[in-house]
Amino acid sequence: MKIVIIGTNHAGIAAANTLLDKYPGHEIVMIDRNSNMSYLGCGTALWVGRQIDQPHELFYARPEDFEAKGATVLTETEVSAIDFQKKQVQATSKTGEALVENYDKLILAMGSRPIIPKILGNELDGIHFLKLFQEGQAVDEEFAKESVKRIAVIGAGYIGTEIAEAAKRRGKEVLLFDAEATSLASYYDEDFAKGMDENLAKQGIELHFGEIAQEFKGTNGRVSQIVTNKDSYDVDMVINCIGFTANSALASDQLETLRNGAIKVDKHQQTSDPDVYAVGDVASIYSNALQDFTYIALASNAVRSGIVAGHNIGGQPLESAGVQGSNGISIFGYNMTSTGFSVKAAEKFGLDVSYTDFEDKQKAWFLHEDNDTVKIRIVYEKESRRIVGAQLASYSEIIAGNINMFSLAIQEQKTIDELALLDLFFLPHFNSPYNYMTVAALNAK
Ligand SMILES: Cc1cc2nc3c(=O)[nH]c(=O)nc-3n(C[C@H](O)[C@H](O)[C@H](O)COP(=O)(O)OP(=O)(O)OC[C@H]3O[C@@H](n4cnc5c(N)ncnc54)[C@H](O)[C@@H]3O)c2cc1C
Ligand SMILES: NC(=O)c1ccc[n+]([C@@H]2O[C@H](COP(=O)([O-])OP(=O)(O)OC[C@H]3O[C@@H](n4cnc5c(N)ncnc54)[C@H](O)[C@@H]3O)[C@@H](O)[C@H]2O)c1
């Protein structure tokens, strides 16, 4: 069987490795328009902010790794069309040569692209996006310029907040804008996001929330001012981080899609064409909190969905367990993690939810050093009492792993009452006998 994979980043790589390692004997052709593969964008801010010195360790796979296992890897080769009837992929190589690849099974792993704000002046120099390694390099080069002193970051989601920290670490003045009232509004309720906002403000980042960019003005072709619905600000550079959209144009007129263009898949990653699978950011994904398919762009989901597609194409039926969109962020030592829905997100999706909050020290009360406060919120459906979300925030790093337990609870449809008496270990170095997670659950109305 000949399997063609379009897109060789996290999702495409996971599918290719599963097929090559577990189901040998197939012809695998991997096509990507980029010159590199496997770039972990999550490391961009760490590198640009000089928390790590070099970007090279942010790559974990090379074309040679797949060629050594028998695959054909075509880099700098852009797919321009797919004929789903003839089962053919048309592409152009880096030398301009037209290529046609026939397939028995096709894996779409074209990922996502940043949303471009449709406002006046967005073609000016000095306006950046952060998705590719090359875009990270361009931002890094800008940060090195003495003339770039004041930077506007638009969108205080994950990428925006992380790059705001990096810019500050490089000695820049940073203005962080978001249409919502707080940072991280898609992931955390306001009471939680406020903690991050205080942390950002304390570090000297200028916060402009409830503000929408309406125009970029320039001087000699380079951005020099940003105009919002409230005011205008002189800046030397802009970084746009207002979210991703599925990069599905190659297939969206032929295959079924969600309203946002993500290619609809079932729990086997199969699209509306049985010979075509879609994985990662280009595809829909099943949310256990929502109990329906939705769009959640994360590297962790990309890897899992690639593995699922690989097994199903290889001949071993495997159903995805669904996801919770579990995520985390660490900014100037302030750590937040969440999974499933916030109260706000649950209500937006039509769920009738309640929540329980608790706050305590991370470690036992009699440890007075390095013992930070933890805030927790657990969100549950009022009628069924099933847990649909959790949020944690603290300067303590110990909170990080806890969110995974809530992820499993949501996947397994556990109720807030089942959590209340769960057996959690106790050791003073890490927690208290009255663990804040179970106390929050015990307090649920
Ligand atoms: C700055 C940043 C930080 C992030 N941090 C995190 C994090 O901490 N945790 C997390 O879980 N996620 C994080 N993400 C999100 C994560 O990177 C994405 O969810 C992930 O990259 C999706 O992987 P993918 O393989 O589906 O798609 P992509 O990474 O978008 O890859 C798609 C590939 O398809 C190729 N392609 C597209 N169209 C064509 C075509 N026509 N022809 C040939 N090739 C094509 C592209 O060149 C690309 O290589 C971050 C993203 C960014 C940008
Ligand atoms: N730590 C992580 O897990 C991590 C890190 C980086 C990126 N990612 C993922 O990558 C994807 C893209 O990240 P992102 O930060 O671009 O998206 P995001 O969805 O996290 O944040 C986008 C932000 O932009 C704001 N916004 C939207 N339109 C706006 C406008 N016109 N003006 C001002 N603000 C506006 C939104 O309110 C939102 O807060 C997401 O799926 C994210 O989860 C994850």
Side-chain angles (χ1 to χ4, degrees):
M1 183 160 62
K2 179 170 174 183
I3 303 153
V4 174
I5 305 175
I6 309 175
T8 65
N9 217 21
H10 310 304
I13 285 172
N17 273 330
T18 306
L19 283 161
L20 290 162
D21 296 344
K22 310 262 184 213
Y23 306 97
H26 298 299
E27 183 185 352
I28 311 281
V29 179
M30 302 166 69
I31 310 177
D32 203 293
R33 63 186 175 195
N34 208 336
S35 53
N36 62 61
M37 67 197 307
S38 80
Y39 179 61
L40 283 165
C42 56
T44 301
L46 289 170
W47 155 51
V48 168
R50 295 294 181 267
Q51 289 176 272
I52 57 172
D53 296 332
Q54 295 291 335
H56 65 268
E57 283 184 308
L58 299 174
F59 297 90
Y60 61 87
R62 302 160 306 157
E64 305 89 274
D65 303 336
F66 300 89
E67 281 159 353
K69 294 196 256 186
T72 302
V73 187
L74 306 172
T75 55
E76 294 178 78
T77 300
E78 176 143 19
V79 174
S80 50
I82 303 166
D83 187 326
F84 292 93
Q85 274 70 46
K86 289 190 187 153
K87 296 173 83 172
Q88 268 181 359
V89 168
Q90 293 157 29
T92 310
S93 76
K94 62 179 156 190
T95 55
E97 191 191 344
L99 305 172
V100 175
E101 293 285 348
N102 295 309
Y103 64 83
D104 298 305
K105 299 284 179 199
L106 178 65
I107 303 180
L108 302 175
M110 291 94 71
S112 54
R113 54 191 164 77
I115 297 169
I116 301 173
K118 290 190 184 66
I119 59 176
L120 271 176
N122 66 10
E123 76 296 344
L124 289 163
D125 286 345
I127 300 179
H128 293 261
F129 292 89
L130 266 184
K131 164 83 187 168
L132 306 176
F133 171 58
Q134 293 89 335
E135 291 167 334
Q137 282 181 309
V139 167
D140 190 50
E141 282 163 22
E142 292 268 31
F143 282 9
K145 292 178 189 162
E146 188 59 31
S147 58
V148 175
K149 292 186 167 58
R150 233 165 115 76
I151 297 170
V153 176
I154 308 193
Y158 269 159
I159 296 179
T161 307
E162 288 173 351
I163 203 66
E165 176 186 15
K168 198 72 201 166
R169 285 180 182 272
R170 293 283 290 273
K172 307 296 178 187
E173 284 175 58
V174 185
L175 291 75
L176 180 59
F177 294 86
D178 202 289
E180 298 286 342
T182 64
S183 63
L184 309 177
S186 320
Y187 310 91
Y188 299 90
D189 287 316
E190 209 164 307
D191 320 7
F192 275 70
K194 286 277 181 219
M196 180 58 81
D197 296 353
E198 283 163 20
N199 175 46
L200 291 164
K202 199 168 76 189
Q203 297 292 338
I205 292 174
E206 207 179 293
L207 304 180
H208 294 276
F209 296 153
E211 276 192 64
I212 302 175
Q214 293 185 326
E215 187 179 351
F216 299 126
K217 290 189 171 168
T219 308
N220 300 325
R222 184 176 169 100
V223 68
S224 57
Q225 196 176 58
I226 164 170
V227 181
T228 75
N229 53 331
K230 291 194 179 158
D231 212 336
S232 55
Y233 307 86
D234 291 339
V235 293
D236 305 310
M237 177 182 176
V238 168
I239 308 174
N240 281 313
C241 321
I242 63 167
F244 285 176
T245 188
N247 188 22
S248 60
L250 281 176
S252 53
D253 59 340
Q254 307 263 358
L255 303 179
E256 287 177 23
T257 64
L258 295 182
R259 282 224 313 263
N260 77 342
I263 298 166
K264 275 192 187 177
V265 291
D266 62 13
K267 285 189 177 175
H268 296 90
Q269 303 301 137
Q270 205 166 20
T271 69
S272 47
D273 177 335
D275 291 320
V276 182
Y277 290 69
V279 294
D281 281 9
V282 79
S284 65
I285 199 155
Y286 188 82
S287 155
N288 290 308
L290 182 63
Q291 299 196 294
D292 201 354
F293 286 86
T294 185
Y295 186 65
I296 307 174
L298 284 171
S300 45
N301 293 345
V303 169
R304 277 189 291 271
S305 58
I307 293 171
V308 170
H311 282 291
N312 285 306
I313 295 171
Q316 183 72 48
L318 177 67
E319 210 171 73
S320 152
V323 302
Q324 286 63 249
S326 308
N327 60 80
I329 189 160
S330 181
I331 301 289
F332 294 117
Y334 192 62
N335 309 305
M336 298 182 78
T337 57
S338 80
T339 186
F341 285 138
S342 63
V343 172
K344 194 170 62 177
E347 286 168 352
K348 189 175 127 199
F349 280 95
L351 271 69
D352 188 15
V353 296
S354 196
Y355 64 91
T356 173
D357 286 350
F358 196 67
E359 210 174 298
D360 199 0
K361 292 285 182 194
Q362 171 61 50
K363 301 177 187 174
W365 60 89
F366 47 82
L367 290 173
H368 298 290
E369 272 174 37
D370 194 21
N371 192 3
D372 296 297
T373 300
V374 181
K375 266 168 79 98
I376 183 167
R377 168 168 293 181
I378 309 170
V379 185
Y380 55 99
E381 213 172 29
K382 272 188 191 153
E383 201 182 313
S384 69
R385 297 182 68 78
R386 77 181 171 101
I387 298 168
V388 296
Q391 298 159 66
L392 284 158
S394 179
Y395 280 97
S396 167
E397 288 176 3
I398 299 174
I399 63 160
N402 291 339
I403 207 69
N404 295 326
M405 181 190 76
F406 288 98
S407 177
L408 185 63
I410 298 169
Q411 177 182 300
E412 297 303 310
Q413 310 284 306
K414 294 294 169 198
T415 66
I416 189 76
D417 310 303
E418 285 174 289
L419 177 66
L421 293 176
L422 179 70
D423 172 13
L424 297 179
F425 87 96
F426 159 54
L427 186 72
H429 311 62
F430 296 110
N431 52 28
S432 288
Y434 286 85
N435 191 297
Y436 52 77
M437 294 184 274
T438 45
V439 175
L442 278 165
N443 290 347
K445 286 192 219 86

